[in-house]
Amino acid sequence: MRISVSAWDPGYADTGEKTGEAAQAKMDLDVEVPAVKWEPIGSDVPAPPRVLLVDGVRRLDARVDIAVEGQPPVPGICASYGAGVVECDPGGGSTATIPVSRIERGLFSAVPDAGLTAGRTAAYVAHRSRASEPGDLLNAVQDRLTALEIEVATEAEPGRDDLLVIDGALRRRTHLPRAVGFIKSHQRRYLPDHLSSIIDKLEPGQRTPVFVLGTSWQRHTWYLRLPGGGDGSWAGIARLEAADDLTIAEVVALADSASAVLPRLASVAHKDPRAPQNLTPIAGLERRLRAKLGDPRLLLRGLRTGARAF
């Protein structure tokens, strides 16, 4: 087996929403409130005792070609990625801690045992993808990152009254207790035209009623306005998700709890260009995780050295 390494542009993004799926969305709007009675909903419940926010980062360090004797070269991706949990006490000031964080590196390809080392400490563990197309390799990286996010969220052990906030869609993580997905950007505005005017009415901290959204998977969802978003109709709007198998009472309790605490964690424009949706604790967690991924130039040099010695 022979592995050759070349540089890979690490800049890419995945919002977790698929445009094709959005076009096929089905909705039940008469869940919490009949659609004809929709109005903004504020929260008068106390903030949860503890908020746990989960996020992950990923970076593509290099692309590789893996030559197995007697077969054409197979492409692969060397990626560094990490996930962590930031813990906030809504009643304890602005202090936040990171109780759990983990960094991994992997070589993703259709070859089952193609691992590679970069220097003495950086090992890219073999992860097998279903196929060798670029999209399949990227999906394999994202699948492992999602699994790592589940692992760190489980390790954090959210309590019965805590709120667990997953940065991004809740897909494949709906089994986590007390969990809501937090979607910062909108590839599609799901509300039908006759209800979209409610977004204009939302004040910071107010949300829409809960409704059911189905694409290739089904979940409860609602929109929430955060403070500091500017003057646009959709400025500061985030969409949240909860598991489909929860009762409506359980979902409403999660929605009210999120409305009570997430506006307090919104970022501000002079500190974060993604404000206010990029919550301040998540931004801090992302910075910490990216720093722990290591220097990409040194890793690329190490990968090339390791490939020559393979």
Side-chain angles (χ1 to χ4, degrees):
M1 183 187 300
R2 187 178 73 256
I3 302 177
S4 58
V5 178
S6 60
W8 180 282
D9 181 3
Y12 68 100
D14 179 11
T15 66
E17 294 186 88
K18 301 185 183 300
T19 304
E21 289 184 352
Q24 305 297 322
K26 297 181 180 179
M27 290 173 284
D28 179 1
L29 301 167
D30 302 311
V31 177
E32 180 181 1
V33 178
V36 295
K37 296 183 179 180
W38 270 35
E39 291 292 341
I41 298 175
S43 176
D44 57 1
V45 304
R50 190 173 64 142
V51 182
L52 302 170
L53 302 103
V54 181
D55 195 15
V57 300
R58 60 185 187 182
R59 187 184 68 208
L60 304 187
D61 294 329
R63 61 180 178 180
V64 301
D65 288 307
I66 305 166
V68 180
E69 186 174 357
Q71 300 179 24
V74 176
I77 288 175
C78 288
S80 297
Y81 49 94
V85 179
V86 57
E87 178 182 332
C88 301
D89 177 0
S94 58
T95 303
T97 60
I98 300 176
V100 185
S101 67
R102 286 171 54 188
I103 299 295
E104 292 184 356
R105 308 185 200 278
L107 197 168
F108 297 82
S109 74
V111 181
D113 56 351
L116 193 58
T117 60
R120 296 180 179 179
T121 59
Y124 289 77
V125 178
H127 289 278
R128 189 172 187 178
S129 65
R130 289 185 288 271
S132 297
E133 294 296 323
D136 296 305
L137 298 175
L138 292 176
N139 287 339
V141 176
Q142 184 59 41
D143 287 346
R144 179 56 205 149
L145 177 55
T146 298
L148 187 60
E149 289 175 352
I150 292 172
E151 291 171 15
V152 297
T154 302
E155 188 175 342
E157 298 181 339
R160 184 180 62 183
D161 298 321
D162 294 339
L163 182 67
L164 180 66
V165 180
I166 308 296
D167 189 54
L170 198 60
R171 187 172 189 168
R172 289 179 290 178
R173 292 168 283 196
T174 55
H175 64 285
L176 293 171
R178 301 285 299 168
V180 297
F182 183 82
I183 294 90
K184 296 189 283 273
S185 59
H186 311 285
Q187 290 191 359
R188 178 180 173 181
R189 299 173 182 181
Y190 288 102
L191 291 179
D193 291 343
H194 71 282
L195 287 177
S196 60
S197 62
I198 192 174
I199 298 297
D200 294 323
K201 299 178 182 178
L202 294 179
E203 297 291 337
Q206 290 184 328
R207 63 173 177 87
T208 68
V210 171
F211 59 101
V212 171
L213 174 63
T215 51
S216 62
W217 64 295
Q218 187 161 292
R219 65 279 201 194
H220 293 94
T221 191
W222 63 96
Y223 289 98
L224 169 70
R225 189 182 297 277
L226 300 172
D231 299 328
S233 173
W234 283 74
I237 296 294
R239 186 170 62 82
L240 287 88
E241 297 179 339
D244 180 57
D245 60 359
L246 298 178
T247 67
I248 185 57
E250 290 171 326
V251 176
V252 168
L254 284 174
D256 287 342
S257 184
S259 296
V261 70
L262 294 188
R264 308 182 190 184
L265 306 180
S267 53
V268 292
H270 68 275
K271 292 184 177 180
D272 191 332
R274 294 179 290 171
Q277 288 96 323
N278 196 42
L279 302 176
T280 298
I282 288 179
L285 176 61
E286 288 177 344
R287 288 193 296 270
R288 180 75 62 86
L289 291 173
R290 291 190 188 282
K292 295 176 72 173
L293 292 183
D295 188 323
R297 296 167 298 178
L298 293 178
L299 288 167
L300 179 59
R301 186 186 308 166
L303 283 167
R304 286 173 170 159
T305 301
R308 286 195 294 268
F310 197 84

